Amino acid sequence: MSSPHPESSLLDRITRLEDLEAIRKLDAQYCRHLDDGNWDALMDLFTDDGEFDGLSHPRGKEEMRTFFAGLAEGGLTSFWHFITNLEIDLDGDRATVRSFLWQPCVTDGAPAIAAGRYNDRVVKIDGRWLY
């Protein structure tokens, strides 16, 4: 029985692991920047034509910035995003990421819990994974 060429196999495996970790980090940064209200850093995680399909469907960085910054106007004054159970399907420089959201929050002054699912498409551009 022959084994695969060690250098190419090892390089491919390391690249895959690095990509998986970078996508996990992308989700962690999304949560942190959103919770902190750091809109510049949050928008830096998206491609120029990125979009968010959730409570609304803003497209492009300006619409998304307006949407996220306006959440407090709808009564959502504090929130803490937790994303878990990531399933990442890599296909070269593209990936699909499915995950669960658990979000303690304060809405209209009352504590609440929001939950949901994310189904993200990400792309690797110039070595960075972006939504």
Side-chain angles (χ1 to χ4, degrees), residues 85-100:
N85 294 21
L86 276 75
E87 295 179 53
I88 304 170
D89 295 323
L90 284 173
D91 184 14
D93 286 346
R94 298 187 176 278
T96 301
V97 185
R98 289 174 304 283
S99 58
F100 291 102

Side-chain angles (χ1 to χ4, degrees), residues 30 34 39 42-43 46-71 118 120-121 131:
Y30 167 84
L34 182 56
W39 312 129
L42 182 65
M43 291 304 101
F46 289 86
T47 62
D48 289 336
D49 62 348
E51 59 187 88
F52 178 83
D53 189 6
L55 300 171
S56 184
H57 196 163
R59 293 179 175 99
K61 290 184 178 187
E62 286 308 311
E63 283 185 25
M64 284 191 294
R65 174 190 280 278
T66 300
F67 165 73
F68 287 120
L71 289 173
Y118 284 113
D120 298 315
R121 290 176 308 208
Y131 295 105

